[in-house]
Amino acid sequence: MKENKKNLRSKEWFGGNDKMGFVHRSWLRNQGYPDDMFRGRPVIGICNTWSELTPCNGHLREFAEIVKKGVLEAGGFPLEFPVMSLGETIMRPTTMLFRNLASMDVEESIRANPLDGIVLLTGCDKTTPSTIMGACSVDLPTIVVPGGPMLNGKFRGGEIGSGSFNWMIKEKQKKDKFTDEDFLEAEICAARSAGHCNTMGTASTMATMAEALGLTLPGASAIPAVDARKKVMAQLSGRRIVEMVNEDLTLSKMLTREAFENAIVVNAAVGGSTNLIIHLIAIAGRMGVPLKLEDFDDLGSKIPLLVNLMPSGKHLMEDYFYAGGLPVVLKELKSKLHRTVTANGKSHYENCEKAVCYNEEVISKYETPFQKDAGIAVLKGNLCENGAVIKPSAATPELMKHRGKAVVFTSMDDYHARVDDPDLDIDADSVIVLQNVGPKGYPGMPEVGNVDLPEKLIMQGVKDMVRISDGRMSGTAYGTVVLHVSPESAIGGNLALVQNGDFIELDVENRRLHLDVSPEELEKRRAVWTPPESHTERGYVKIYLNHVEQAEKGADLDILVGGSGSDVKGDLH
């Protein structure tokens, strides 16, 4: 092979004819690599979040081999490495507690090794933002290969969305009298192929975000995991990352302020998860790009909903792909998007030029959307001085302006102990308030904001209620749910001072969330309020508690904001 003339980073490891060059090359030779692999080929690190404990990423071991083919075809030297994998459906207490830890794993693995470019194999919710965050702090040429959604779930003549069905289980048990056999069948039908959730939940939202930011090849995000075209995309991504290294197309050249604005607009149009807010702000923080909570309202709340997918609509990701996927949405949004560079070196304008919509029931025209003014609404008020969010497309219109009495649960344990008590003083007009589930309070800010309704109200036919917390909710969920309240209750935010019977006003149109309690009364309550005990005195969780930022700052660790670049000093001998 002709030697690459570019001054590759990996040359610092493999290019020397001294003792250290011998050490770095020699031990890798036990894998059987020919000598030319060390002589000027771009070294491509394939960052694999495969794990049998992460069901959504269970197929990525195979995908790594496919990416390697593309890297080799383009003249690169592929080296796969594992990082901490975050299985949303398995890990306790919540994968969000470990997103920042996984990002540290990715960052330090990249920086410490002789890598010139990076391929991120992602899938499950946090595996996408954590790997991107870590890669951003090093700033090498990087491309994302999304693992893809599962095929549509099929259940008793209809479709069942993986994730979205979760939030129906209590109603199915209590009202529809589902048996254990019914649920067993539903379990199998909901997840019938490799891949992540097939709704526009957080996993699909994060894959969409990666493509909207320009970090994938065009059209990569929606292809089902088991579709052969996903494998083709993985192989082409392997080829492309070698070219990106030769072009020095680093993350900082792609992830500009304009790219983040594009992602906000796209998220609104596809009905994406509220979790995008926290992850996108954290990624921007790693790049040093200013991004505020208010930007999601200013840029996204007037964007119409174009994609008819659960939980905001009725279809699933497989239908979305067949309809044309994100390139069709980008084409409809062209007037709202910036001309930023993407992983293939072109802008979204060029990439989506030939996109065709094959099903307007799934992807609508901009002029005739499924819902006007979708996006994310950012609320302010004395109950959320630093902000809170709600997803209008997943909420009940009649509850978007509401005043009701608070029913307060001080923790998830308290909620589980009392919510189905027949004597609980609660009705359909009440406002459920859940405290101490924020970044520090849980810890980790779990997806519990859309708590199930009380059994007695479900039996009365109640489908939705206003729910308020400092936690998050799954992107597969729905309801009139106010999330990410900041400051959180565990650090003394006013949410901690709410008492049973207090009136709370929600006015989404006017972006207001107000606790009808006087400042004087709040000060009296604050004087007797005591913070909860620390969850631990050791380990990563202690580090997390000492350094995690609030929701409106992306819940990153303050010591991880920004980046250290790719330089590393000192050698191992």
Side-chain angles (χ1 to χ4, degrees):
M1 174 197 162
K2 185 178 178 181
E3 184 170 333
N4 192 304
K5 298 301 182 184
K6 179 179 168 56
N7 189 23
L8 297 171
R9 180 175 180 267
S10 58
K11 188 176 180 179
E12 296 180 21
W13 278 262
F14 297 144
N17 291 318
D18 54 4
K19 178 184 73 174
M20 293 318 305
F22 176 91
V23 170
H24 295 314
R25 293 187 299 269
S26 179
W27 267 262
L28 265 178
R29 290 185 190 277
N30 77 349
Q31 303 298 305
Y33 296 119
D35 185 62
D36 66 349
M37 298 301 248
F38 303 99
R39 305 300 177 185
R41 289 179 182 252
V43 180
I44 305 301
I46 300 173
C47 176
N48 200 346
T49 55
W50 169 86
S51 169
E52 290 182 342
L53 290 170
T54 306
C56 302
N57 297 24
H59 58 304
L60 295 185
R61 183 74 277 292
E62 178 190 7
F63 272 42
E65 297 301 323
I66 298 169
V67 172
K68 288 177 188 177
K69 286 185 194 176
V71 173
L72 289 166
E73 287 167 349
F77 180 9
L79 291 171
E80 179 186 353
F81 63 96
V83 291
M84 185 179 190
S85 188
L86 306 177
E88 195 70 25
T89 58
I90 301 291
M91 295 183 77
R92 293 182 177 179
T94 170
T95 53
M96 188 62 184
L97 177 62
F98 305 110
R99 182 201 67 178
N100 301 333
L101 178 60
S103 78
M104 294 170 70
D105 187 356
V106 173
E107 175 181 348
E108 302 304 340
S109 293
I110 293 173
R111 183 180 297 111
N113 285 292
L115 305 177
D116 302 304
I118 308 298
V119 179
L120 303 177
L121 300 186
T122 68
C124 195
D125 297 16
K126 308 304 181 301
T127 62
T128 303
S130 66
T131 54
I132 294 175
M133 288 163 65
C136 283
S137 293
V138 188
D139 193 24
L140 294 176
T142 301
I143 195 167
V144 176
V145 176
M150 291 185 269
L151 297 176
N152 289 2
K154 301 292 183 180
F155 181 58
R156 296 182 176 176
E159 293 195 333
I160 181 173
S162 57
S164 292
F165 188 79
N166 301 355
W167 319 117
M168 305 176 191
I169 287 176
K170 186 174 182 180
E171 181 179 350
K172 296 291 185 184
Q173 287 175 321
K174 303 299 182 182
K175 197 170 183 186
D176 296 343
K177 305 301 181 184
F178 258 48
T179 65
D180 290 345
E181 290 76 15
D182 294 329
F183 279 116
L184 176 59
E185 184 182 351
E187 281 181 29
I188 297 167
C189 291
R192 68 185 187 96
S193 81
H196 60 65
C197 288
N198 54 25
T199 60
M200 187 51 76
T202 303
S204 295
T205 298
M206 292 301 103
T208 302
M209 174 199 74
E211 185 172 345
L213 287 171
L215 301 182
T216 76
L217 293 181
S221 61
I223 307 173
V226 295
D227 193 302
R229 285 165 285 190
K230 179 65 79 175
K231 294 180 179 180
V232 172
M233 195 66 75
Q235 188 162 345
L236 293 177
S237 297
R239 293 180 186 177
R240 178 57 193 158
I241 188 60
V242 177
E243 295 172 351
M244 291 172 69
V245 170
N246 293 331
E247 296 166 9
D248 196 30
L249 183 54
T250 60
L251 284 170
S252 57
K253 293 175 181 176
M254 293 189 286
L255 295 183
T256 61
R257 162 75 188 194
E258 290 75 19
F260 286 98
E261 291 184 1
N262 285 348
I264 292 173
V265 170
V266 168
N267 189 64
V270 302
S273 169
T274 50
N275 289 309
L276 171 107
I277 299 170
I278 282 185
H279 300 319
L280 201 65
I281 290 175
I283 293 167
R286 297 296 184 97
M287 293 306 306
V289 171
L291 197 66
K292 305 190 303 296
L293 182 63
E294 291 76 14
D295 291 327
F296 291 83
D297 204 329
D298 295 343
L299 297 168
S301 64
K302 299 303 180 185
I303 298 296
L305 178 64
L306 303 183
V307 179
N308 185 7
L309 296 187
M310 296 181 191
S312 299
K314 67 177 184 178
H315 294 287
L316 295 169
M317 287 294 291
E318 189 180 350
D319 308 308
Y320 174 52
F321 172 61
Y322 298 150
L326 190 61
V328 173
V329 176
L330 294 172
K331 191 172 185 178
E332 290 295 322
L333 293 172
K334 280 179 75 170
S335 65
K336 304 293 182 182
L337 299 177
H338 300 287
R339 289 179 179 268
T340 55
V341 66
T342 70
N344 71 345
K346 300 177 181 179
S347 70
H348 286 312
Y349 279 64
E350 297 167 280
N351 290 334
C352 70
E353 188 176 6
K354 296 181 180 179
V356 176
C357 180
Y358 298 104
N359 189 343
E360 291 189 10
E361 185 182 330
V362 178
I363 306 175
S364 72
K365 295 289 187 184
Y366 190 90
E367 297 76 17
T368 55
F370 295 113
Q371 181 178 320
K372 293 183 178 179
D373 302 343
I376 304 294
V378 175
L379 309 174
K380 290 291 181 74
N382 68 344
L383 196 52
C384 55
E385 293 170 311
N386 294 341
V389 302
I390 188 170
K391 182 178 176 180
S393 64
T396 301
E398 294 78 17
L399 290 175
M400 298 284 272
K401 186 170 185 178
H402 183 79
R403 185 173 188 268
K405 288 184 178 181
V407 177
V408 180
F409 297 98
T410 59
S411 67
M412 281 306 296
D413 288 341
D414 181 36
Y415 163 80
H416 287 305
R418 296 192 296 117
V419 68
D420 289 331
D421 184 343
D423 296 325
L424 182 67
D425 185 12
I426 191 170
D427 59 35
D429 292 326
S430 299
V431 174
I432 294 176
V433 174
L434 179 60
Q435 300 168 332
N436 296 307
V437 293
K440 291 179 182 287
Y442 196 69
M445 202 179 181
E447 294 181 339
V448 295
N450 58 312
V451 289
D452 292 330
L453 306 187
E455 180 180 345
K456 67 180 181 181
L457 297 185
I458 289 175
M459 298 306 291
Q460 294 171 18
V462 177
K463 298 288 187 182
D464 193 13
M465 294 174 66
V466 175
R467 287 157 276 179
I468 300 172
S469 78
D470 44 14
R472 299 177 300 115
M473 79 173 181
S474 168
T476 65
Y478 47 86
T480 311
V481 185
V482 177
L483 305 155
H484 309 184
V485 168
S486 180
E488 65 173 298
S489 49
I491 64 171
N494 285 344
L495 185 68
L497 309 179
V498 182
Q499 296 181 359
N500 289 318
D502 290 345
F503 275 96
I504 294 176
E505 298 176 28
L506 170 66
D507 186 348
V508 176
E509 182 179 358
N510 291 303
R511 302 301 194 259
R512 185 168 184 262
L513 182 65
H514 182 73
L515 175 64
D516 287 351
V517 174
S518 70
E520 294 77 17
E521 174 60 22
L522 287 177
E523 285 308 308
K524 289 180 183 178
R525 295 181 186 182
R526 190 178 303 282
V528 298
W529 175 80
T530 55
E533 292 184 8
S534 177
H535 294 274
T536 186
E537 293 302 322
R538 67 164 301 278
Y540 167 72
V541 176
K542 181 63 174 177
I543 296 171
Y544 175 91
L545 290 169
N546 288 345
H547 293 282
V548 70
E549 298 187 310
Q550 289 292 286
E552 80 280 2
K553 292 187 176 181
D556 201 358
L557 304 189
D558 55 18
I559 55 174
L560 294 180
V561 174
S564 301
S566 63
D567 289 343
V568 57
K569 303 300 181 185
D571 220 323
L572 65 158
H573 287 297

